[in-house]
Amino acid sequence: MASRASKRSLLAFLMAVIVAIACMLVLAIQVPSVAAIRSDSRDSKRFGIGEAFDEDEDEDDDDWDFMDDDAILGLSQQQNNGDSSDTEVSKEICVDSLPIELLDDDYCDCADGSDEPNTSACSHVLLDSETPPFGRQFKCKADDKLVSLAFVNDAVCDCCDGSDEKAGLCSNTCKSEWNGRFKTLQERLKAVQGGRSVRKGYMIKAVDKVQQLHGDFERLAEAYQAGQRAFEDLQRRAQHNPELRGQLEQSYNVLRRVQYVTYVQSRVVDQSTFSDAAWKPAFVELVGQCFTYTVDEKELKGGTPNVIPRKYDMVFCPFQNVSQTEPSYPKWTKAERQTKVGVSADDENEKEEEIPHPIGLGIWNEWQDSVGFVRVQSYNHGEPCANGQERHTRVNLSCGVKNRVDSVEEREMCEYEIHFETPAVCEGPEEDALQNEISQVKSLLKAVGSRSEGHEEL
């Protein structure tokens, strides 16, 4: 029979676990099952569970470990102390060493293409060059559209007035293109204005939501610490009582799960997530929500050896994690076998496949540099691929009236990219830019004396 002290320790541990689970429910955090840590992992040594089980495993300290207590509860951040200095490298331009008669003679003399700025002779060089030594763009006469010189005189009409090609090759399509552009801009402007209206509501609630997240995290951290103390007490008793081994292992798995949630939440309440820039608080509205996007295997990878393409559910939980599930896997395996080898789908003796556990594609890491009006996030430390590389996901967030996943793609092996629309991105600068572009298109249409149907205000 357990002693009174043992009962008190067990009761304390159970209470800590109950509090932790309650905090997890309050936070509405989805943790993929891939996050569950086995008791035979190297992290079990830090809790001493290996000693209780008389295990002796080598520990690799070079592996990334998000379970460091100081990092979790102290919110410590590693500083990059590496010296980085930008040095300007002077580049000699080939054209400077050529006689004038070789300039624009429709023959590519220079490896950098600098001798043919106004012909397409060096188009193969211009297409591969991301940082040309000087501007290499052709300006269309009708609307000042810029076209790479690689596409000048290539028998493809890039300018609506055909000014990038020889006379007579292209017909003038400027009116129809500008009318189409005007309609597209008007629709986009309407979406941005609608998104800005929703975003105002997000901002009104943002301060209270951020404070609530901090309060939830403090309670979660306290529950984790209490659970850890109770576990350590149980661990000491298990060293002298083998009957407690099963209870110790179960307690360890629960504690590790709480620890994982505590780590993720520590990243969420970090100042850099919502509080160090004026545009960030609106995004706190997304915390606790998850969005699912079903993608076909061919769409995701561009091809598949399977007769019947598989379908995946990509689950994006902003500021938490990205995961991949395959709920239709049992049906797919049966249909694939039937197609390949003729196995009957009604075979009663056939064992139905289980649904695979979710695959982690990354947990919340940080904001990255914006691209135009698009905000960018990174989610790192997902499950390793077959080559050992950790999966990671880049999320591009653009303005939209509703929160939704627009598309998902696997750019390279283990590298995913999600395009997500949300009102949280809709801000004034994008609306102003659209208004300016609409005014420019109006001027172009007015200059050619064209009025599109449905736009009588022009």
Side-chain angles (χ1 to χ4, degrees):
M1 181 177 295
S3 65
R4 184 174 301 175
S6 298
K7 289 183 178 180
R8 285 200 300 267
S9 298
L10 179 59
L11 180 61
F13 176 78
L14 292 176
M15 289 297 295
V17 170
I18 292 173
V19 173
I21 293 175
C23 290
M24 292 167 63
L25 293 175
V26 170
L27 295 173
I29 296 175
Q30 286 199 9
V31 182
S33 60
V34 67
I37 310 297
R38 301 193 313 272
S39 61
D40 61 350
S41 69
R42 74 179 187 87
D43 298 293
S44 64
K45 279 202 161 189
R46 196 164 53 76
F47 280 106
I49 194 170
E51 297 175 3
F53 293 166
D54 295 325
E55 296 176 354
D56 185 14
E57 297 180 4
D58 293 333
E59 184 172 356
D60 183 4
D61 291 331
D62 293 333
D63 290 345
W64 174 78
D65 183 7
F66 62 79
M67 296 304 182
D68 179 77
D69 292 339
D70 293 334
I72 292 175
L73 302 180
L75 298 181
S76 61
Q77 296 182 350
Q78 294 183 352
Q79 300 294 329
N80 183 8
N81 296 323
D83 294 333
S84 60
S85 57
D86 296 332
T87 57
E88 295 184 0
V89 180
S90 59
K91 295 183 179 180
E92 181 179 352
I93 301 176
C94 168
V95 69
D96 294 338
S97 61
L98 293 180
I100 190 66
E101 59 268 19
L102 296 183
L103 179 65
D104 287 333
D105 64 346
D106 208 25
Y107 184 84
C108 192
D109 299 285
C110 294
D112 62 2
S114 58
D115 62 309
E116 299 297 319
N118 297 309
T119 76
S120 59
C122 294
S123 60
H124 61 289
V125 176
L126 299 175
L127 284 173
D128 295 334
S129 176
E130 296 181 357
T131 55
F134 53 85
R136 295 175 179 173
Q137 290 183 309
F138 176 84
K139 183 181 291 186
C140 299
K141 294 181 180 179
D143 55 4
D144 292 339
K145 175 183 176 182
L146 296 178
V147 177
S148 171
L149 286 177
F151 303 137
V152 175
N153 292 328
D154 63 349
V156 177
C157 304
D158 298 290
C159 296
C160 66
D161 60 352
S163 56
D164 60 312
E165 302 298 327
K166 295 180 179 179
L169 179 63
C170 306
S171 58
N172 192 310
T173 60
C174 291
K175 291 182 181 180
S176 60
E177 285 191 20
W178 293 341
N179 280 323
R181 180 61 179 163
F182 181 85
K183 182 179 179 180
T184 300
L185 289 171
Q186 287 282 58
E187 293 175 351
R188 180 59 183 166
L189 178 62
K190 183 178 179 180
V192 172
Q193 290 174 336
R196 288 193 68 190
S197 178
V198 177
R199 184 179 183 274
K200 289 180 181 178
Y202 288 180
M203 292 296 290
I204 292 174
K205 299 180 291 183
V207 175
D208 291 339
K209 282 182 173 289
V210 171
Q211 291 178 349
Q212 181 181 351
L213 285 175
H214 280 273
D216 291 340
F217 172 70
E218 290 176 0
R219 288 188 290 273
L220 182 61
E222 291 173 358
Y224 164 65
Q225 290 177 323
Q228 186 176 20
R229 289 192 296 268
F231 174 81
E232 291 171 351
D233 179 70
L234 182 63
Q235 170 201 324
R236 286 190 293 269
R237 291 186 290 110
Q239 292 177 347
H240 306 287
N241 186 355
E243 295 180 357
L244 295 177
R245 175 172 179 158
Q247 180 182 334
L248 180 64
E249 185 172 357
Q250 293 177 0
S251 302
Y252 170 76
N253 291 333
V254 172
L255 185 61
R256 292 290 286 156
R257 189 173 180 85
V258 174
Q259 191 180 32
Y260 171 85
V261 176
T262 306
Y263 167 77
V264 175
Q265 192 64 11
S266 73
R267 301 288 302 155
V268 175
V269 300
D270 188 87
Q271 183 179 7
S272 63
T273 303
F274 298 119
S275 305
D276 65 349
W279 55 268
K280 290 184 177 180
F283 290 89
V284 73
E285 182 71 22
L286 301 177
V287 175
Q289 301 188 58
C290 291
F291 305 89
T292 301
Y293 182 86
T294 302
V295 59
D296 187 279
E297 186 177 29
K298 288 186 177 180
E299 179 184 351
L300 184 64
K301 298 182 178 180
T304 173
N306 299 317
V307 177
I308 301 175
R310 299 164 71 171
K311 291 185 180 295
Y312 301 101
D313 281 354
M314 314 298 286
V315 183
F316 171 48
C317 302
F319 304 101
Q320 301 297 327
N321 54 63
V322 182
S323 60
Q324 172 185 299
T325 63
E326 193 177 358
S328 60
Y329 180 76
K331 293 182 179 179
W332 173 82
T333 53
K334 183 177 290 187
E336 183 80 356
R337 285 198 301 269
Q338 184 178 10
T339 303
K340 287 184 176 180
V341 298
V343 176
S344 173
D346 299 325
D347 188 351
E348 296 181 355
N349 297 323
E350 182 181 359
K351 183 179 179 181
E352 185 172 335
E353 298 284 347
E354 296 182 356
I355 298 177
H357 68 76
I359 298 175
L361 306 184
I363 60 176
W364 163 245
N365 181 38
E366 64 180 359
W367 290 102
Q368 295 186 331
D369 293 338
S370 300
V371 180
F373 300 115
V374 177
R375 304 298 184 186
V376 183
Q377 297 178 340
S378 66
Y379 292 74
N380 296 345
H381 302 305
E383 273 199 72
C385 288
N387 62 358
Q389 176 185 348
E390 289 182 341
R391 291 175 170 87
H392 59 274
T393 303
R394 171 189 171 104
V395 180
N396 299 318
L397 302 100
S398 58
C399 173
V401 180
K402 297 181 179 180
N403 294 313
R404 72 181 191 93
V405 177
D406 181 61
S407 65
V408 177
E409 59 181 314
E410 186 175 6
R411 299 181 62 86
E412 295 183 14
M413 185 176 182
C414 304
E415 297 182 8
Y416 303 86
E417 186 164 294
I418 294 176
H419 295 270
F420 186 78
E421 293 183 357
T422 173
V425 183
C426 302
E427 299 183 68
E430 183 173 3
E431 181 178 349
D432 294 340
L434 287 169
Q435 294 280 19
N436 291 335
E437 192 169 355
I438 288 174
S439 297
Q440 293 174 6
V441 175
K442 282 183 177 181
S443 299
L444 291 172
L445 288 170
K446 186 176 181 179
V448 296
S450 173
R451 292 179 178 270
S452 62
E453 294 183 5
H455 299 295
E456 297 180 358
E457 70 276 10
L458 298 180

